[in-house]
Amino acid sequence: DIQMTQSPSSLSASVGDRVTITCRASQNITTYLNWYQQKPGTAPDLLISAASSLHSGVPSRFGGSGSGTDFTLTISSLQPEDFTTYYCQQSYSLPLTFGGGTKVEIK
Amino acid sequence: QVQLVESGGGVVQPGRSLRLSCAASGFTFSTYAMHWVRQAPGKGLDWVAVMSYDGSKKWYAESVKGRFTISRDNSKNTLYVQMNSLRVEDTAVYYCVRPGGVAQSFHYWGQGTLVTVSS
């Protein structure tokens, strides 16, 4: 199975800050890496697919990069609604696996 | 618009069974593979199972293999998961998910249904 290691597990930041979350795969997954945002009590929403493709309707302050084993999600200027939890997920091979999540909190 | 509506969750004793359903609408259900993903209270996301668009192929997470059975009825636009021999650690919100795009990312999620396994 491919292990997905996400870091940090939590971070504190302020509105307007630039934030970077990293995700490392235990083997090469090319660009089969997706990012999701989950707000409390709701289902996750797709932010980024295929490592860097912004999903329809997602604000342009979100960006993704990387290939192979190392990936990043960047939020260029945090907005109040961005303080929540983010997950990476590999869709390269079964079983599909997720990172442990990153909780972005208000400083 | 795409809608996925799960049902069938509830409280069940360890060792018992439960069947979840997911009613799909707003897209051609019979042309998409469909997944179940779960999330234990306060924990991360955990992929459970997938079934091919025509029902001919299915795959499971090791943690549910031999206990859970995924199925679908394309005439009713409905996905199912039969959960047998339930364990306390199966307690979670279960989501029905439709993939999409080149990377087969999870484009659409249902609202989830809570399964609680407790004596």
Side-chain angles (χ1 to χ4, degrees):
Chain A
D1 299 4
I2 299 174
Q3 308 304 318
M4 305 301 295
T5 303
Q6 209 174 317
S7 62
S9 56
S10 66
L11 66 90
S12 295
S14 301
V15 173
D17 282 355
R18 180 183 181 89
V19 163
T20 299
I21 299 168
T22 65
C23 186
R24 175 165 288 176
S26 61
Q27 65 186 73
N28 184 359
I29 58 170
T30 64
T31 57
Y32 284 83
L33 188 284
N34 311 298
W35 291 98
Y36 302 88
Q37 177 192 67
Q38 186 178 30
K39 298 184 177 179
T42 69
D45 290 317
L46 178 64
L47 293 175
I48 304 279
S49 64
S52 60
S53 295
L54 199 65
H55 188 56
S56 175
V58 174
S60 59
R61 63 181 179 273
F62 291 94
S65 65
S67 66
T69 60
D70 293 313
F71 302 87
T72 60
L73 172 70
T74 300
I75 310 172
S76 60
S77 177
L78 269 175
Q79 298 302 299
E81 60 268 29
D82 301 336
F83 291 93
T84 191
T85 303
Y86 297 85
Y87 295 93
C88 63
Q89 176 236 350
Q90 65 83 15
S91 52
Y92 181 79
S93 68
L94 295 174
L96 305 180
T97 46
F98 291 86
T102 296
K103 187 172 184 179
V104 177
E105 298 175 306
I106 301 174
K107 185 182 287 184
Chain B
Q1 72 283 17
V2 172
Q3 275 200 307
L4 301 168
V5 179
E6 301 94 337
S7 60
V11 180
V12 61
Q13 292 180 325
R16 304 298 291 265
S17 300
L18 207 59
R19 188 178 84 155
L20 306 183
S21 300
C22 169
S25 61
F27 65 101
T28 307
F29 180 73
S30 62
T31 64
Y32 286 88
M34 292 294 296
H35 298 253
W36 288 100
V37 174
R38 68 184 180 182
Q39 186 170 36
K43 302 297 185 183
L45 299 164
D46 191 28
W47 175 79
V48 174
V50 60
M51 174 162 266
S52 61
Y53 69 98
D54 61 357
S56 63
K57 299 175 185 175
K58 54 187 93 170
W59 294 266
Y60 299 93
E62 201 61 40
S63 58
V64 307
K65 200 174 290 183
R67 301 187 298 121
F68 288 15
T69 302
I70 189 172
S71 62
R72 65 192 295 161
D73 185 337
N74 284 346
S75 69
K76 295 182 178 179
N77 290 345
T78 303
L79 179 73
Y80 304 98
V81 61
Q82 176 69 41
M83 305 185 295
N84 298 332
S85 303
L86 282 162
R87 304 168 179 168
V88 171
E89 54 266 33
D90 294 319
T91 295
V93 174
Y94 285 74
Y95 295 103
C96 167
V97 186
R98 197 210 88 174
V102 173
Q104 288 294 286
S105 49
F106 291 154
H107 279 213
Y108 295 98
W109 299 66
Q111 85 286 353
T113 187
L114 176 62
V115 173
T116 302
V117 185
S118 173
S119 54

